[in-house]
Amino acid sequence: MYHVVKIGGSTLANLQPAFFDVLKNRIQQGEKIVIVHGGGPEINKRLRESGLPLEMKNGVRVTSQESLSCVKTALMDITNTTLVEKLDGEGIVAKGLSGAEDFMLFCDFLDKEIYGWVGNVQKVNTKVIHNVLEDGKIPVIASLGVTKNGEMVNINADTAAGETAAALSAESICFVTDTPGVSVNGEWMKHLTISEILKSIVEGHISGGMVPKVEAAIKCLDLNIKQVRITDQTLSGTALQKEVLVP
């Protein structure tokens, strides 16, 4: 069975031995792991160095054609390369990939007037992923895509991970964050249903940067991925699920 692990940009900079140990253990148990990553902090750094604006709308990074070059450099040349090197150093053989290669993450524009060069995933070419796994390597995918005209686009990493997991009919997806899971009223939750999540957002118990994470997790449940978790580097954390049905 396939299992997708999405790693956020801030977590990437501080990966611990526990993460690699859990990953190795799961691979040894026969799980087919696919990693999808973002790179927000590195993108921000590149944009600042280039004197380009950092602009977010509705949780989406506005990406001009000019800033797209910084996004590509940050995601592929720096973040992807560094992560693959770390995995290799821990004895996990990995291969760096961009979602823009071989039309892997095939996109149209999310809304070019509002967001610029940001992709909305239409189709995932899983053949590339299968080939890497069959070669005994872990695919490490940077969240870039490509349009039918061959234009590279930036993709929200949570979205890229969810669409990849759905296309693979993955058993699970883990969103690896800097927290042990989802906290409600100061308590780390083992399980949350969609209605509990939505209620907690309205009441302000889930707020800030956790809101887009749980919204991405809900979308994954809607894509019929069985196990969806928001977790720290132990890959345990909070399990999110559709409603608990009473017999």
Side-chain angles (χ1 to χ4, degrees), residues 169-219:
S169 299
E171 180 75 12
S172 73
I173 182 167
C174 276
F175 293 91
V176 183
T177 70
D178 296 330
T179 70
V182 183
S183 171
V184 177
N185 276 339
E187 181 184 351
W188 297 110
M189 308 302 291
K190 286 188 176 181
H191 303 276
L192 279 172
T193 64
I194 292 177
S195 61
E196 287 170 339
I197 293 166
L198 297 176
K199 183 171 181 280
S200 295
I201 292 172
V202 170
E203 294 175 350
H205 301 313
I206 295 176
S207 60
M210 186 53 71
V211 174
K213 289 185 177 67
V214 295
E215 288 176 342
I218 289 172
K219 286 178 184 174

Side-chain angles (χ1 to χ4, degrees), residues 81 112 160:
T81 300
K112 203 169 182 181

Side-chain angles (χ1 to χ4, degrees), residues 63-107:
T63 308
S64 67
Q65 205 168 8
E66 196 177 14
S67 64
L68 186 62
S69 175
C70 292
V71 172
K72 178 185 177 294
T73 298
L75 287 178
M76 276 307 298
D77 301 344
I78 299 171
T79 308
N80 190 275
T81 300
T82 302
L83 180 54
V84 169
E85 286 174 354
K86 283 182 180 177
L87 289 163
D88 285 343
E90 294 289 336
I92 301 169
V93 184
K95 181 173 175 59
L97 299 168
S98 161
E101 293 175 43
D102 298 316
F103 289 90
M104 188 195 308
L105 297 179
F106 181 75
C107 301

Side-chain angles (χ1 to χ4, degrees), residues 2-6 34 36 105 121 124 126 129 141 157-175 219-221 223-228:
Y2 300 98
H3 300 266
V4 173
V5 176
K6 185 267 172 177
V34 177
V36 179
L105 297 179
V121 180
V124 180
T126 57
I129 299 169
I141 305 169
D158 290 332
T159 302
E163 294 290 350
T164 300
L168 289 167
S169 299
E171 180 75 12
S172 73
I173 182 167
C174 276
F175 293 91
K219 286 178 184 174
C220 288
L221 290 170
L223 291 168
N224 294 318
I225 298 163
K226 293 178 186 175
Q227 299 173 31
V228 180

Side-chain angles (χ1 to χ4, degrees), residues 11 13-21 90 233:
T11 306
N14 192 34
L15 289 174
Q16 301 297 312
F19 171 75
F20 298 106
D21 289 343
E90 294 289 336
Q233 297 186 32

Side-chain angles (χ1 to χ4, degrees), residues 103 106-107 109 112 146-152:
F103 289 90
F106 181 75
C107 301
F109 285 99
K112 203 169 182 181
V146 65
T147 69
K148 64 181 179 181
N149 295 324
E151 299 162 298
M152 183 180 288

